Amino acid sequence: LEDAYEPGSIMKILTTAAAINSGNYNGNATFKSGSYSIDGNAINDWNPAGWGEISYHDGFIRSSNVGMAKLEQAMGSKTWMNYIKRFGLLKSTNAGLGNEVSGSIEYKYPIEQANTAFGQGINVTVFQMLQAISAVANNGKMVKPYLVSKVVDPNTGKTVYSQSPKVVGRPIRSETAKEVRELMEDVVTDKDGTGTAYKN
């Protein structure tokens, strides 16, 4: 809560969700992977050679930075920033656990805007990401994270404090959430996915 960090590739879940929800995603469309230049600044995939011309579906499961940058450009910086805010980033989740930071972003230039699509140049807290990704898990309903469900007085057995799930936003449609979850599954189950080591 008190420390913000660059989320990196986990941000691709939110970028893809935003692109789908805003009508700027076509999983079958293709792009050239490996490297991409924006205003003379290079964006590179973790595999600098790339995988040739691949679909956006493959771009997600292979964790392509280039694919995400292109999705951000398809959405436009205003739409993407709107979703960053809709997902509750850049502000405290108000979890009630002390000095929670808001996070920060570098978003002035096109290269900075594209960088945020794959989790660089933006700082978030773990709780912010938990809250944001809960929208994908809960069919579009974003819930506020909490650690303590209840406190019971050991002497009287009475509950002196309780907390339950609270919906704090609906940044994406249920159909969008379902599509993103299917893409996330493919990261593990598809032979080209970056998470195949976790397939059991």
mmCIF file of all heavy atoms in Angstrom, residues 67-86:
data_model
loop_
_atom_site.group_PDB
_atom_site.id
_atom_site.type_symbol
_atom_site.label_atom_id
_atom_site.label_comp_id
_atom_site.label_asym_id
_atom_site.label_seq_id
_atom_site.Cartn_x
_atom_site.Cartn_y
_atom_site.Cartn_z
ATOM 1 N N GLY A 67 2.553 -5.391 -29.552
ATOM 2 C CA GLY A 67 1.104 -5.562 -29.715
ATOM 3 C C GLY A 67 0.320 -4.639 -28.803
ATOM 4 O O GLY A 67 -0.671 -4.030 -29.218
ATOM 5 N N MET A 68 0.778 -4.516 -27.550
ATOM 6 C CA MET A 68 0.072 -3.658 -26.596
ATOM 7 C C MET A 68 0.197 -2.189 -26.976
ATOM 8 O O MET A 68 -0.761 -1.417 -26.857
ATOM 9 C CB MET A 68 0.611 -3.879 -25.178
ATOM 10 C CG MET A 68 0.333 -5.254 -24.618
ATOM 11 S SD MET A 68 -1.439 -5.654 -24.560
ATOM 12 C CE MET A 68 -1.445 -7.140 -25.548
ATOM 13 N N ALA A 69 1.395 -1.781 -27.430
ATOM 14 C CA ALA A 69 1.596 -0.398 -27.857
ATOM 15 C C ALA A 69 0.663 -0.062 -29.018
ATOM 16 O O ALA A 69 0.081 1.027 -29.080
ATOM 17 C CB ALA A 69 3.051 -0.177 -28.264
ATOM 18 N N LYS A 70 0.506 -1.005 -29.932
ATOM 19 C CA LYS A 70 -0.372 -0.784 -31.076
ATOM 20 C C LYS A 70 -1.840 -0.716 -30.640
ATOM 21 O O LYS A 70 -2.633 0.059 -31.197
ATOM 22 C CB LYS A 70 -0.160 -1.866 -32.130
ATOM 23 C CG LYS A 70 1.146 -1.678 -32.912
ATOM 24 C CD LYS A 70 1.346 -2.746 -33.956
ATOM 25 C CE LYS A 70 2.510 -2.400 -34.867
ATOM 26 N NZ LYS A 70 2.182 -1.390 -35.880
ATOM 27 N N LEU A 71 -2.217 -1.483 -29.625
ATOM 28 C CA LEU A 71 -3.580 -1.392 -29.103
ATOM 29 C C LEU A 71 -3.820 -0.029 -28.461
ATOM 30 O O LEU A 71 -4.891 0.568 -28.630
ATOM 31 C CB LEU A 71 -3.856 -2.512 -28.088
ATOM 32 C CG LEU A 71 -4.041 -3.915 -28.640
ATOM 33 C CD1 LEU A 71 -4.321 -4.896 -27.494
ATOM 34 C CD2 LEU A 71 -5.170 -3.982 -29.672
ATOM 35 N N GLU A 72 -2.817 0.464 -27.727
ATOM 36 C CA GLU A 72 -2.952 1.800 -27.117
ATOM 37 C C GLU A 72 -3.139 2.848 -28.202
ATOM 38 O O GLU A 72 -3.978 3.740 -28.078
ATOM 39 C CB GLU A 72 -1.711 2.113 -26.267
ATOM 40 C CG GLU A 72 -1.780 3.452 -25.541
ATOM 41 C CD GLU A 72 -1.356 4.652 -26.377
ATOM 42 O OE1 GLU A 72 -0.433 4.495 -27.214
ATOM 43 O OE2 GLU A 72 -1.941 5.733 -26.221
ATOM 44 N N GLN A 73 -2.382 2.732 -29.280
ATOM 45 C CA GLN A 73 -2.502 3.706 -30.365
ATOM 46 C C GLN A 73 -3.843 3.592 -31.075
ATOM 47 O O GLN A 73 -4.397 4.599 -31.521
ATOM 48 C CB GLN A 73 -1.340 3.544 -31.333
ATOM 49 C CG GLN A 73 -0.004 3.941 -30.697
ATOM 50 C CD GLN A 73 1.029 4.370 -31.713
ATOM 51 O OE1 GLN A 73 1.249 3.692 -32.698
ATOM 52 N NE2 GLN A 73 1.648 5.513 -31.474
ATOM 53 N N ALA A 74 -4.350 2.371 -31.175
ATOM 54 C CA ALA A 74 -5.668 2.178 -31.792
ATOM 55 C C ALA A 74 -6.758 2.826 -30.943
ATOM 56 O O ALA A 74 -7.693 3.448 -31.462
ATOM 57 C CB ALA A 74 -5.953 0.690 -31.984
ATOM 58 N N MET A 75 -6.636 2.695 -29.621
ATOM 59 C CA MET A 75 -7.615 3.312 -28.711
ATOM 60 C C MET A 75 -7.469 4.821 -28.705
ATOM 61 O O MET A 75 -8.464 5.549 -28.643
ATOM 62 C CB MET A 75 -7.408 2.803 -27.275
ATOM 63 C CG MET A 75 -7.918 1.424 -27.002
ATOM 64 S SD MET A 75 -7.811 1.009 -25.237
ATOM 65 C CE MET A 75 -6.081 0.546 -25.091
ATOM 66 N N GLY A 76 -6.231 5.293 -28.734
ATOM 67 C CA GLY A 76 -5.941 6.705 -28.552
ATOM 68 C C GLY A 76 -5.647 6.986 -27.090
ATOM 69 O O GLY A 76 -6.194 6.328 -26.194
ATOM 70 N N SER A 77 -4.797 7.952 -26.834
ATOM 71 C CA SER A 77 -4.332 8.212 -25.466
ATOM 72 C C SER A 77 -5.458 8.644 -24.531
ATOM 73 O O SER A 77 -5.443 8.323 -23.344
ATOM 74 C CB SER A 77 -3.225 9.264 -25.469
ATOM 75 O OG SER A 77 -3.706 10.499 -25.992
ATOM 76 N N LYS A 78 -6.456 9.364 -25.053
ATOM 77 C CA LYS A 78 -7.554 9.817 -24.189
ATOM 78 C C LYS A 78 -8.416 8.646 -23.727
ATOM 79 O O LYS A 78 -8.778 8.550 -22.547
ATOM 80 C CB LYS A 78 -8.418 10.854 -24.917
ATOM 81 C CG LYS A 78 -7.758 12.214 -25.036
ATOM 82 C CD LYS A 78 -8.681 13.232 -25.677
ATOM 83 C CE LYS A 78 -7.993 14.585 -25.800
ATOM 84 N NZ LYS A 78 -8.850 15.570 -26.511
ATOM 85 N N THR A 79 -8.733 7.758 -24.667
ATOM 86 C CA THR A 79 -9.551 6.593 -24.309
ATOM 87 C C THR A 79 -8.801 5.695 -23.340
ATOM 88 O O THR A 79 -9.362 5.226 -22.344
ATOM 89 C CB THR A 79 -9.940 5.800 -25.573
ATOM 90 O OG1 THR A 79 -10.769 6.628 -26.379
ATOM 91 C CG2 THR A 79 -10.692 4.524 -25.230
ATOM 92 N N TRP A 80 -7.513 5.459 -23.595
ATOM 93 C CA TRP A 80 -6.725 4.604 -22.714
ATOM 94 C C TRP A 80 -6.622 5.212 -21.322
ATOM 95 O O TRP A 80 -6.793 4.509 -20.311
ATOM 96 C CB TRP A 80 -5.350 4.351 -23.324
ATOM 97 C CG TRP A 80 -4.350 3.611 -22.481
ATOM 98 C CD1 TRP A 80 -3.042 3.920 -22.334
ATOM 99 C CD2 TRP A 80 -4.552 2.426 -21.685
ATOM 100 N NE1 TRP A 80 -2.416 3.026 -21.494
ATOM 101 C CE2 TRP A 80 -3.321 2.090 -21.074
ATOM 102 C CE3 TRP A 80 -5.661 1.624 -21.411
ATOM 103 C CZ2 TRP A 80 -3.164 0.997 -20.227
ATOM 104 C CZ3 TRP A 80 -5.509 0.528 -20.561
ATOM 105 C CH2 TRP A 80 -4.277 0.220 -19.980
ATOM 106 N N MET A 81 -6.388 6.526 -21.230
ATOM 107 C CA MET A 81 -6.343 7.171 -19.918
ATOM 108 C C MET A 81 -7.686 7.068 -19.207
ATOM 109 O O MET A 81 -7.747 6.876 -17.985
ATOM 110 C CB MET A 81 -5.917 8.635 -20.053
ATOM 111 C CG MET A 81 -5.924 9.412 -18.725
ATOM 112 S SD MET A 81 -4.948 8.656 -17.393
ATOM 113 C CE MET A 81 -3.303 9.190 -17.840
ATOM 114 N N ASN A 82 -8.755 7.166 -19.958
ATOM 115 C CA ASN A 82 -10.084 7.013 -19.376
ATOM 116 C C ASN A 82 -10.220 5.645 -18.716
ATOM 117 O O ASN A 82 -10.746 5.524 -17.599
ATOM 118 C CB ASN A 82 -11.149 7.193 -20.466
ATOM 119 C CG ASN A 82 -12.561 7.048 -19.935
ATOM 120 O OD1 ASN A 82 -12.852 7.456 -18.812
ATOM 121 N ND2 ASN A 82 -13.427 6.451 -20.719
ATOM 122 N N TYR A 83 -9.716 4.610 -19.382
ATOM 123 C CA TYR A 83 -9.797 3.262 -18.802
ATOM 124 C C TYR A 83 -8.845 3.090 -17.624
ATOM 125 O O TYR A 83 -9.183 2.406 -16.645
ATOM 126 C CB TYR A 83 -9.545 2.191 -19.872
ATOM 127 C CG TYR A 83 -10.808 1.850 -20.627
ATOM 128 C CD1 TYR A 83 -11.112 2.484 -21.829
ATOM 129 C CD2 TYR A 83 -11.726 0.938 -20.119
ATOM 130 C CE1 TYR A 83 -12.284 2.199 -22.517
ATOM 131 C CE2 TYR A 83 -12.893 0.638 -20.795
ATOM 132 C CZ TYR A 83 -13.167 1.268 -21.992
ATOM 133 O OH TYR A 83 -14.333 0.984 -22.648
ATOM 134 N N ILE A 84 -7.673 3.697 -17.697
ATOM 135 C CA ILE A 84 -6.752 3.651 -16.555
ATOM 136 C C ILE A 84 -7.470 4.168 -15.307
ATOM 137 O O ILE A 84 -7.385 3.581 -14.225
ATOM 138 C CB ILE A 84 -5.482 4.479 -16.848
ATOM 139 C CG1 ILE A 84 -4.588 3.746 -17.857
ATOM 140 C CG2 ILE A 84 -4.694 4.766 -15.562
ATOM 141 C CD1 ILE A 84 -3.416 4.570 -18.384
ATOM 142 N N LYS A 85 -8.213 5.251 -15.484
ATOM 143 C CA LYS A 85 -8.952 5.836 -14.357
ATOM 144 C C LYS A 85 -10.170 4.992 -13.979
ATOM 145 O O LYS A 85 -10.482 4.824 -12.797
ATOM 146 C CB LYS A 85 -9.365 7.272 -14.697
ATOM 147 C CG LYS A 85 -8.176 8.227 -14.754
ATOM 148 C CD LYS A 85 -8.589 9.630 -15.128
ATOM 149 C CE LYS A 85 -7.395 10.573 -15.115
ATOM 150 N NZ LYS A 85 -7.755 11.928 -15.580
ATOM 151 N N ARG A 86 -10.853 4.449 -14.982
ATOM 152 C CA ARG A 86 -12.011 3.594 -14.701
ATOM 153 C C ARG A 86 -11.620 2.358 -13.900
ATOM 154 O O ARG A 86 -12.383 1.868 -13.074
ATOM 155 C CB ARG A 86 -12.690 3.163 -16.008
ATOM 156 C CG ARG A 86 -13.567 4.251 -16.596
ATOM 157 C CD ARG A 86 -13.987 3.969 -18.011
ATOM 158 N NE ARG A 86 -14.954 2.894 -18.134
ATOM 159 C CZ ARG A 86 -15.685 2.681 -19.226
ATOM 160 N NH1 ARG A 86 -15.558 3.462 -20.272
ATOM 161 N NH2 ARG A 86 -16.543 1.690 -19.273
#
